Amino acid sequence: MMIYQSLHHLWTWSTLRRLLIGSAVILKSCHMVLAFMPYATASWIALLMASLKMSAVKAVVAISPVINAFPVPFRYKGKISEILPFENSKKIYTEEGCIWRYAIPSVDNVTPLVSKYSPVVPVEDISCPVLLVHGTGDLNVNSDFATDLILNRLKNQGREHLCSILRYPEAGHLIEPPYTPLCYACFPGNAFKWSGDKYIVMGGEMNAHARAQEDAWPKILSFLQRNLQCSSHL
């Protein structure tokens, strides 16, 4: 229940748990020390937790990072965030499924109402090490944009040393452990309810994606070992 209490009802506990566990998050707990290795929307939650300086979060590995609240807001300490609307007119339909990359707004600055949080994660406030992993062939989200925004905002705060980047040409959205088959397109799960899309395209060229997974996995483990107090248990 530690995460639930810390988040003060960020979304709901059941939703948060489903996103983190369902999105292949690796969660290590050792004397209240946490490290997240989430994908996409779950990476948004992990980056948000780090940005809000939740003391238990000591390191984040964000795979195909997302930094904007969509399609629903989050609530923290009595305030709710604004959201960036999904731009349905920019979705691209193919035989394999729908490409969302261009429909998710790439916005780096929003001035919210005083009573609300910005939909853009304040990543410049992150004070723990962050490893960003993404492929240039990601057709689900614009992870190139998010990666560059995170690095530039940390750089402006003199904290670029906290940010490491693994950028893989032609790799797709779901960069998983080695020898996991490329998931080029898939059923979107709960997102089907609000998007209406039966299949969404994750992207990636098979060989390039496989090479990315083989290269990224040992580097991810090394990053966690360097930055967690419980590294001997990894």
Side-chain angles (χ1 to χ4, degrees):
M1 295 296 290
M2 176 183 62
I3 300 176
Y4 174 71
Q5 293 165 355
S6 298
L7 285 172
H8 299 279
H9 303 265
L10 174 59
W11 286 20
T12 65
W13 168 241
S14 61
T15 301
L16 176 64
R17 184 179 185 278
R18 186 165 61 249
L19 277 169
L20 291 178
I21 303 301
S23 299
V25 66
I26 292 179
L27 176 64
K28 293 289 182 182
S29 178
C30 179
H31 306 297
M32 303 293 282
V33 174
L34 299 179
F36 292 105
M37 197 194 82
Y39 300 82
T41 303
S43 75
W44 165 67
I45 294 175
L47 290 167
L48 181 61
M49 291 174 68
S51 298
L52 294 173
K53 297 185 182 298
M54 295 182 179
S55 59
V57 180
K58 301 301 182 184
V60 174
V61 178
I63 298 176
S64 303
V66 171
I67 47 83
N68 295 333
F70 83 95
V72 295
F74 69 89
R75 183 185 299 274
Y76 180 69
K77 291 187 175 180
K79 290 175 63 177
I80 194 168
S81 76
E82 295 186 353
I83 64 170
L84 293 175
F86 200 71
E87 299 183 45
N88 286 297
S89 63
K90 294 184 179 180
K91 293 195 292 187
I92 299 174
Y93 290 94
T94 71
E95 291 184 358
E96 293 83 5
C98 185
I99 296 174
W100 284 5
R101 177 185 174 99
Y102 310 103
I104 301 172
S106 296
V107 176
D108 61 2
N109 188 28
V110 175
T111 302
L113 298 173
V114 175
S115 60
K116 292 188 174 184
Y117 290 107
S118 168
V120 182
V121 175
V123 291
E124 63 274 11
D125 294 332
I126 291 175
S127 57
C128 68
V130 176
L131 176 61
L132 307 175
V133 184
H134 80 99
T136 63
D138 187 346
L139 295 178
N140 182 235
V141 302
N142 192 346
S143 49
D144 294 278
F145 168 79
T147 297
D148 291 340
L149 182 143
I150 294 168
L151 175 61
N152 290 333
R153 286 200 173 186
L154 287 172
K155 188 174 183 178
N156 289 339
Q157 298 297 317
R159 292 201 292 271
E160 67 269 25
H161 62 282
L162 294 175
C163 184
S164 302
I165 297 174
L166 297 177
R167 194 186 309 261
Y168 294 104
E170 299 186 80
H173 181 70
L174 292 176
I175 298 177
E176 300 181 287
Y179 315 118
T180 304
L182 167 66
C183 177
Y184 186 81
C186 68
F187 176 71
N190 287 334
F192 170 70
K193 297 177 182 178
W194 57 263
S195 70
D197 297 319
K198 292 184 178 180
Y199 296 97
I200 56 175
V201 177
M202 299 296 179
E205 190 279 323
M206 184 172 62
N207 292 326
H209 194 86
R211 289 193 295 269
Q213 293 184 156
E214 289 188 55
D215 184 78
W217 188 244
K219 292 178 180 178
I220 289 171
L221 295 181
S222 177
F223 172 85
L224 293 175
Q225 288 171 339
R226 289 195 308 272
N227 292 294
L228 293 185
Q229 296 176 13
C230 53
S231 60
S232 61
H233 299 290
L234 289 173

